[in-house]
Amino acid sequence: MQKFFVLLPKELIENWKTHKIVLVFAFCIALGLIVPFMADGNYHGDPLVNPLQSGYIVYDFTDWLSMGMLMLIPFMLMSTVAKEVKDGLAAAVLVKPVGRGAYILAKFLVSYLIFALAVTVGFAICYIYALRITRPWDLDPLSCELFFTMLGFMLLYTAFAVALTIFISTMLRNNVLAGAIAMVLLVAFYGLSFTENIRVFIPFEVVRWGWELVYPNAFQLTAYPGMTPPITSPYWYALWITIGGLLLAILGSILIIRKREI
Amino acid sequence: MINKNLAIQTINLSKKFGKLTALDDLNLEVEPNSIYGFLGPNGSGKTTAIRLMIGLSRPSRGNAYVNGLSCTARRMEARQVIGYLPDVPMFFGFMTGLDYLVFCGKLFGLSFKEAQKRAWPLLDLAGVKDAANRKANGYSRGMKQRLGLAASMMGNPKVLFLDEPVSAMDPIGRANVLDIIKNIKEKATVFISTHILSDVERVSDKVGIIDHGRLLVSENIHELKHKFSQNCITVNTLEDNAPLAGIIKTHDWCSDVIVRTNDQHMPELVIYLKDQIAARSALPKLICQQGFTIINYITTQPSLEDIFIKLAGVK
């Protein structure tokens, strides 16, 4: 257990010194600033969307963020285990009295922490900025409860994506291949979330669940042509599959690294 | 039968990669506070054997024990007493030499201060103290090996596994590191895997020679040389003597002949004899009858290289 707390700061410092933390935070903060700014620019004065609504802006932000994460998470984390094993760095650590489980958990925890904090900061910036610019017009500003619910679903999906990428990175020695496979899988989940019958089982639906909770708030005064009324349905299957998938990916990573030739 | 008094013991240690047998029934024993030189040609299974002994790889059959601890069943305890220097030491790009040693020390359970306190003398011993605050990835190959050696000693190991510890060093550096290894013997057992025979001859107490995954010999170095020296004659001739080797080999009193060139670029034959007495009279006469001019004719103790070549069959 003590060795786990030696690995944690090492992973954190490594992510800082290799600028991964900066990149992830920069992406989320930039998005948090750009999306409300674009919404203000695009929709201000639009009689269909006006009054501009904070809920819509945050909805828009999660849309962009979730698509960005499909690429950012595999790109940032593809080398996490694969490259260390290939370069002999994993051997340099695991030849010492360090559990292989602790090795994987430290990587997962630090990677998730970075993304979770960055997503939270981006969300917060977007939310505060959105409330500010919509104040004169928004009759029903997005409540804190809904904001935190959306954020919670987004953080859950981020955890799943991080765990999945680390799992694939653990399986393979080629970090580029690991990143590609992780990206393909995450994009596939996103694509499948648009299919009627199976989307309720797809992990990406937890993000959509957040959207649909916000939907009535986001679009209550909207009358865009062709826009269908909101359908709010519980995505319990997707929720449990996301949680289960996340736990299985972590467990799978630990089991693989234990059996693997390092 | 596990002997807990041994520093290293392997019992029928084997490793297969699919159909390829990388290691086949390795049985060796290493006494505590000794230096064991593990020799073999490239691809013979040296690194595979080490990786099994330090727990980075799982054996297909058999087991390895370090200080009486199984490298599979009691892996974590075994790693607490092991130090390892790989053939190509790698370091985290963001760490300085000192950072890396402190990190290693913390993984062995030392506090930050304890690890720093231990790191500086090791950096000094390894000769990289001046570069301690430089990024380790910027070190030269020789410096990386020295840093790797220092890192392998951070946990105060009882058993040190060194895979090609001096391959990237200049002669002075090599001599310096070999002296360090000789001194480590007082506190730990050293297992060196290398193909630089002169280094093994210089520091090792016991030698093991492996080829194609099989241990050919594991013996005290002096006894090994004595065993091979009793019937060995070295002949230098003026002419190229390769044809002569074939003729000599046909005689009953000869077991083997190795053809080579010595340090002075003179043709040389190393002749291993079955019957020294018969050869004493027959051999000089044979060489002259064949029209060769003898420059040197001496009974020699073969070098480790000669023994290695004879056993491993490398020409």
Side-chain angles (χ1 to χ4, degrees):
Chain A
M1 192 63 180
Q2 185 208 7
K3 314 298 165 61
F4 175 70
F5 292 107
V6 173
L7 293 170
L8 279 181
K10 173 254 170 193
E11 292 295 327
L12 210 56
I13 295 168
E14 183 172 11
N15 278 281
W16 172 252
K17 290 204 175 179
T18 53
H19 310 297
K20 282 183 186 174
I21 294 180
V22 171
L23 281 167
V24 174
F25 269 82
F27 173 78
C28 293
I29 290 169
L31 211 58
L33 290 168
I34 289 169
V35 168
F37 179 76
M38 274 171 52
D40 191 26
N42 287 341
Y43 303 114
H44 189 89
D46 186 329
L48 293 175
V49 184
N50 210 7
L52 196 59
Q53 288 142 50
S54 52
Y56 183 86
I57 294 173
V58 175
Y59 162 89
D60 214 16
F61 172 77
T62 53
D63 194 14
W64 281 103
L65 182 68
S66 54
M67 282 196 290
M69 286 294 165
L70 297 181
M71 282 172 280
L72 193 65
I73 289 175
F75 179 69
M76 287 287 159
L77 300 182
M78 62 186 182
S79 308
T80 311
V81 179
K83 196 159 187 296
E84 279 200 3
V85 170
K86 189 178 160 191
D87 288 349
L89 290 167
V93 173
L94 295 173
V95 79
K96 294 171 180 61
V98 175
R100 294 189 182 193
Y103 175 78
I104 289 292
L105 280 174
K107 289 197 175 291
F108 169 74
L109 206 63
V110 168
S111 301
Y112 177 62
L113 204 69
I114 291 166
F115 277 94
L117 281 173
V119 164
T120 305
V121 167
F123 247 91
I125 288 172
C126 176
Y127 181 46
I128 293 165
Y129 192 0
L131 286 178
R132 197 172 185 283
I133 60 173
T134 62
R135 197 185 299 145
W137 310 286
D138 196 349
L139 302 177
D140 187 11
L142 186 70
S143 66
C144 273
E145 288 87 356
L146 278 175
F147 166 74
F148 280 115
T149 307
M150 283 194 75
L151 174 61
F153 282 133
M154 193 68 215
L155 290 178
L156 179 62
Y157 184 71
T158 304
F160 170 79
V162 166
L164 181 69
T165 308
I166 288 177
F167 173 70
I168 295 166
S169 185
T170 308
M171 274 204 305
L172 304 173
R173 277 189 185 258
N174 186 325
N175 52 307
V176 174
L177 185 62
I181 292 173
M183 200 179 299
V184 163
L185 281 173
L186 291 173
V187 168
F189 285 139
Y190 179 76
L192 285 169
S193 68
F194 290 97
T195 56
E196 262 319 303
N197 293 329
I198 54 174
R199 70 186 185 117
V200 292
F201 302 107
I202 302 298
F204 190 78
E205 285 304 278
V206 293
V207 176
R208 194 181 297 280
W209 193 359
W211 290 350
E212 292 192 359
L213 288 173
V214 175
Y215 210 102
N217 173 275
F219 294 98
Q220 63 180 337
L221 296 175
T222 301
Y224 259 125
M227 195 170 267
T228 54
I231 304 165
T232 306
S233 31
Y235 291 102
W236 293 112
Y237 290 132
L239 178 69
W240 295 121
I241 285 170
T242 305
I243 294 170
L246 152 70
L247 294 172
L248 277 174
I250 297 170
L251 194 64
S253 303
I254 294 171
L255 288 173
I256 288 172
I257 201 92
R258 275 192 174 164
K259 295 288 179 193
R260 214 185 141 160
E261 303 279 320
I262 300 293
Chain B
M1 181 76 180
I2 304 164
N3 184 344
K4 291 190 178 180
N5 295 323
L6 291 170
I8 302 168
Q9 186 183 16
T10 64
I11 301 173
N12 299 331
L13 191 64
S14 304
K15 181 69 182 178
K16 281 191 170 183
F17 295 102
K19 286 183 181 172
L20 172 70
T21 304
L23 205 63
D24 191 10
D25 273 339
L26 181 72
N27 289 286
L28 61 79
E29 294 177 353
V30 182
E31 300 291 331
N33 297 100
S34 66
I35 300 177
Y36 189 94
F38 197 48
L39 295 168
N42 293 333
S44 56
K46 300 191 300 294
T47 300
T48 303
I50 288 183
R51 286 168 55 81
L52 289 168
M53 287 185 242
I54 61 176
L56 284 181
S57 189
R58 284 181 186 276
S60 306
R61 200 173 73 247
N63 212 338
Y65 300 87
V66 173
N67 262 25
L69 301 164
S70 165
C71 295
T72 46
R74 297 173 73 181
R75 208 161 36 171
M76 289 290 272
E77 292 167 75
R79 284 188 211 149
Q80 194 69 41
V81 300
I82 283 172
Y84 172 56
L85 170 65
D87 54 349
V88 182
M90 297 294 289
F91 305 101
F92 295 100
F94 65 96
M95 286 187 181
T96 63
L98 179 64
D99 288 342
Y100 183 70
L101 256 58
V102 169
F103 173 64
C104 291
K106 283 157 86 175
L107 288 177
F108 278 103
L110 302 176
S111 68
F112 177 77
K113 278 191 177 168
E114 284 167 346
Q116 272 214 323
K117 201 174 162 188
R118 193 179 288 185
W120 281 111
L122 285 174
L123 286 166
D124 190 27
L125 182 70
V128 287
K129 191 179 178 183
D130 292 338
N133 292 312
R134 270 175 39 200
K135 291 266 169 23
N137 268 358
Y139 288 11
S140 68
R141 270 195 67 198
M143 287 170 74
K144 282 183 182 178
Q145 276 192 319
R146 287 169 179 272
L147 181 66
L149 182 63
S152 69
M153 295 194 280
M154 272 302 287
N156 261 348
K158 299 276 189 306
V159 182
L160 200 50
F161 290 89
L162 307 177
D163 198 350
E164 307 281 357
V166 293
S167 60
M169 293 187 199
D170 56 64
I172 297 171
R174 181 183 283 162
N176 177 238
V177 169
L178 288 173
D179 284 337
I180 294 170
I181 292 170
K182 258 178 147 172
N183 292 331
I184 292 171
K185 193 171 105 165
E186 289 165 27
K187 295 180 210 166
T189 307
V190 184
F191 188 95
I192 304 177
S193 162
T194 182
H195 54 259
I196 304 176
L197 303 169
S198 55
D199 294 343
V200 168
E201 249 179 308
R202 190 172 158 165
V203 299
S204 302
D205 302 308
K206 200 171 176 183
V207 162
I209 297 176
I210 185 173
D211 189 27
H212 288 96
R214 293 200 133 258
L215 188 68
L216 302 175
V217 70
S218 178
E219 213 157 339
N220 177 284
I221 197 166
H222 299 294
E223 282 169 22
L224 185 66
K225 282 188 174 183
H226 183 69
K227 190 192 272 184
F228 279 84
S229 76
Q230 286 189 340
N231 297 308
C232 179
I233 293 175
T234 301
V235 178
N236 294 109
T237 59
L238 201 58
E239 303 85 2
D240 173 24
N241 52 31
L244 182 58
I247 297 167
I248 294 172
K249 263 190 195 174
T250 60
H251 289 79
D252 293 338
W253 39 259
C254 171
S255 66
D256 199 7
V257 181
I258 295 171
V259 181
R260 68 182 189 196
T261 311
N262 68 5
D263 296 337
Q264 285 83 44
H265 306 290
M266 287 170 63
E268 188 168 276
L269 290 177
V270 179
I271 304 160
Y272 291 91
L273 306 170
K274 285 182 204 167
D275 186 347
Q276 201 177 29
I277 296 166
R280 210 177 277 165
S281 56
L283 182 57
K285 204 188 292 181
L286 175 66
I287 294 170
C288 294
Q289 275 173 355
Q290 295 299 319
F292 289 86
T293 312
I294 299 174
I295 300 173
N296 270 327
Y297 185 100
I298 46 175
T299 305
T300 51
Q301 189 177 57
S303 67
L304 199 54
E305 183 178 353
D306 297 324
I307 299 169
F308 179 81
I309 291 170
K310 185 170 168 44
L311 287 172
V314 174
K315 299 282 182 278

